[in-house]
Amino acid sequence: MNRRRVGLCLAIVTLALIVPIPAQAQQAWIVDILANPSRFWNRTVTLTGQVQNVNANPAGTTRGTYTLLDESCPNPMTVRTSDLPPVGRTYVVTGVIMQDPTAGTTYMKELSRSEPGMSSVMLYSLIAAGVLFLGLLIAFVVMLLRPKRAAAPPAPGPVAETIRPRPQDTIRPAAPPLAPPPAPAPVPDTTKTTKLPPPPVADRTQVFTSLGADLVVEKGPDKGREFTLHLPVTTVGRAGGRRNDVEFADETVSKDQASIYYDTATRLFSIANESSTNPTKVNGQAISGPTTLDNGAMIEMGRTVVRFRKS
């Protein structure tokens, strides 16, 4: 039984060790790659974003390039692939960052592409954990079902004679010693001054800085509300999904409708659509990639109409 149990444990450990768990690529942002491309050259990274423009090369084939846009900046990343994806879909793309020697630009060579969800690393990890748990459960059941050996009865021996003490031989226990008197309590010294620690310092109030632009709701359930833009990237949508900086009560607005970007160098604002069901329109025209916002521009999202105003 011992050899069988040891063999079962070794088989379980071997099975857990041979389950392949691939290494996970580094998760990166497009803004970091474009700001310092030499740091990422010839490195495998993973980007999560929305497909913008698709260009077949040669024409009529599935080979070519497409641009991927994430939430880090309004500038997309060019991706070369042999299987062009549809426009507007969000993917998790893993590839190698490379440099085009002729144009001097940075692009990604696609290795794999999948929709957001459970990654292969997590799937293999769950399989390995399940196999290991099943093996431990089997070993535990085998140990419980192992028959126990009955204990041998004690050998017969001579019966010991019981000796009862006589009354005159009984020894009385000695009385316990008396406890010492308690020590007197120390008298506090009133001549010394005790310094108390200083009170804790309250947290500093955060400074609210306006970027000099507002969103004024002209039409919809939130008509009359105003939202001041004060972040480099402002997310816009309906409550319930991601945590949006500007939230509307309109049910026709997507939970991840759009994002407004502020360029600190040019002091210009731009907006990019992020909804795959409800389009974002600027001055009546539907947009997909980043579009510059001028003073007084009208932004339509579902039944809600917002006016972009610079102060």
Side-chain angles (χ1 to χ4, degrees):
M1 181 64 68
N2 291 335
R3 292 181 179 179
R4 184 180 303 175
R5 184 175 59 183
V6 172
L8 180 61
C9 294
L10 291 177
I12 295 171
V13 174
T14 304
L15 183 61
L17 292 178
I18 65 175
V19 174
I21 301 180
Q24 187 177 13
Q26 176 186 359
Q27 181 69 37
W29 295 96
I30 294 178
V31 65
D32 298 331
I33 298 175
L34 296 181
N36 190 7
S38 59
R39 174 187 173 189
F40 294 89
W41 286 346
N42 297 326
R43 294 183 61 180
T44 303
V45 299
T46 298
L47 299 177
T48 303
Q50 187 182 52
V51 178
Q52 301 296 314
N53 299 322
V54 176
N55 183 21
N57 185 15
T61 64
T62 60
R63 300 177 59 87
T65 61
Y66 64 92
T67 57
L68 193 70
L69 182 67
D70 62 6
E71 299 179 357
S72 62
C73 71
N75 298 324
M77 168 64 70
T78 301
V79 182
R80 292 186 179 180
T81 181
S82 59
D83 184 15
L84 293 174
V87 178
R89 297 285 293 274
T90 300
Y91 290 100
V92 178
V93 182
T94 300
V96 181
I97 302 300
M98 306 183 71
Q99 184 185 24
D100 190 346
T102 58
T105 58
T106 301
Y107 68 94
M108 170 188 276
K109 183 179 180 182
E110 182 184 271
L111 299 178
S112 63
R113 180 178 69 241
S114 62
E115 294 186 354
M118 181 178 293
S119 62
S120 59
V121 176
M122 184 177 298
L123 180 61
Y124 282 117
S125 300
L126 291 178
I127 294 175
V131 171
L132 182 60
F133 175 76
L134 182 60
L136 293 177
L137 182 61
I138 294 174
F140 180 72
V141 173
V142 171
M143 293 180 63
L144 289 180
L145 297 178
R146 180 183 179 184
K148 297 182 179 180
R149 296 180 180 178
V159 179
E161 182 181 358
T162 304
I163 301 176
R164 298 180 178 179
R166 293 178 298 175
Q168 59 271 23
D169 297 336
T170 303
I171 301 176
R172 297 181 179 179
L178 299 177
V187 180
D189 190 358
T190 58
T191 59
K192 296 182 180 180
T193 303
T194 303
K195 294 183 180 181
L196 298 176
V201 180
D203 296 336
R204 295 182 178 179
T205 303
Q206 297 182 356
V207 179
F208 179 84
T209 303
S210 175
L211 299 179
D214 302 315
L215 296 179
V216 182
V217 182
E218 301 287 345
K219 182 180 178 182
D222 301 284
K223 182 179 179 180
R225 294 186 63 185
E226 296 184 5
F227 301 91
T228 301
L229 302 181
H230 61 91
L231 297 173
V233 179
T234 303
T235 55
V236 182
R238 191 177 82 251
R242 67 182 181 184
R243 184 176 180 181
N244 293 305
D245 304 309
V246 177
E247 291 186 348
F248 297 117
D250 189 355
E251 295 182 354
T252 62
V253 176
S254 298
K255 298 177 182 179
D256 49 354
Q257 181 69 43
S259 292
I260 298 177
Y261 303 92
Y262 175 70
D263 193 337
T264 56
T266 61
R267 297 185 179 181
L268 294 178
F269 291 85
S270 60
I271 186 171
N273 178 55
E274 296 177 345
S275 174
S276 58
T277 57
N278 297 327
T280 301
K281 298 181 180 179
V282 176
N283 296 328
Q285 299 293 330
I287 65 170
S288 57
T291 303
T292 304
L293 291 175
D294 298 327
N295 187 23
M298 303 302 291
I299 306 172
E300 299 180 29
M301 295 168 285
R303 295 194 301 265
T304 298
V305 179
V306 180
R307 178 165 54 90
F308 175 74
R309 181 183 66 187
K310 282 190 175 181
S311 57

